[in-house]
Amino acid sequence: MEKTMLLNSESAKRLVTRMAYEIIEDNKGSDNLVMIGIQSRGVLFAKALQNKIKELEGVEIPLGSIDITFYRDDLTRLMDHPVVRETDVPFTIEDKNIILVDDILFSGRTVHSAIKSLFDMGRPAKIKLAVLVDRGHHELPVAADYCGKDVPTSLNEYIDADITEGGTINKVTIRGKEENKG
């Protein structure tokens, strides 16, 4: 299966703008709002949303990152030597409205692990989920509050999100799992 373009840079910009407006509207502004991206591309997508909200509201939403490696329920099945990335939440989450951000929602297990991790850090007022793409196949009762694109996929497909460190989404493609990533 060849790669199919789901989003190019222009359509991604429109998607981020729409989602930023939805987040602002739903939270009645940016007061008491923080964002936490799930390592690694969730952090990059969170940066895109943070940048757009700053442009729209003139306020920089605090942004943190979490690594859910040790909260996974399938850690021993996946690898002998897990790659652990940085968890950096330089603010309190107590009584905050958290936007938990990831790039792709699939089974829901990553989100579940992230929520467990967050509750180990404190008790937020609420947690809402923002994802770039929801590809279906949920195994847990998890749904995105803010979803960029809903793309039902087959189990032999994979979604690639090309996002820069600064939060620019270059493209999002879908491909067969058997193809080399690149």
Side-chain angles (χ1 to χ4, degrees), residues 104-118:
I104 311 298
L105 176 58
F106 180 46
S107 68
R109 292 180 181 278
T110 296
V111 172
H112 180 259
S113 296
I115 291 170
K116 287 193 305 187
S117 172
L118 288 174

Side-chain angles (χ1 to χ4, degrees), residues 88-102:
D88 179 25
V89 181
F91 47 81
T92 181
I93 67 165
E94 262 327 291
D95 297 318
K96 295 290 184 186
N97 297 326
I98 296 176
I99 306 299
L100 181 62
V101 183
D102 205 3

Side-chain angles (χ1 to χ4, degrees), residues 19-39:
M19 290 183 70
Y21 274 120
E22 288 175 2
I23 290 168
I24 293 165
E25 173 106 5
D26 188 44
N27 290 281
K28 297 171 182 49
S30 56
D31 292 343
N32 205 41
L33 193 62
V34 299
M35 281 193 186
I36 299 178
I38 300 172
Q39 288 285 12

Side-chain angles (χ1 to χ4, degrees), residues 105-157:
L105 176 58
F106 180 46
S107 68
R109 292 180 181 278
T110 296
V111 172
H112 180 259
S113 296
I115 291 170
K116 287 193 305 187
S117 172
L118 288 174
F119 278 109
D120 280 350
M121 294 179 207
R123 189 174 191 282
K126 66 182 173 181
I127 301 172
K128 296 232 174 169
L129 178 62
V131 298
L132 178 59
V133 177
D134 182 346
R135 61 170 288 200
H137 305 286
H138 302 181
E139 297 171 3
L140 299 173
V142 173
D145 299 282
Y146 315 104
C147 180
K149 195 161 183 71
D150 187 4
V151 181
T153 62
S154 72
L155 290 174
N156 65 356
E157 291 175 315

Side-chain angles (χ1 to χ4, degrees), residues 45-62:
F45 182 46
K47 184 70 176 168
L49 291 169
Q50 180 196 42
N51 290 341
K52 183 51 75 172
I53 290 172
K54 182 177 182 180
E55 178 184 316
L56 297 172
E57 291 286 290
V59 175
E60 188 164 329
I61 304 293

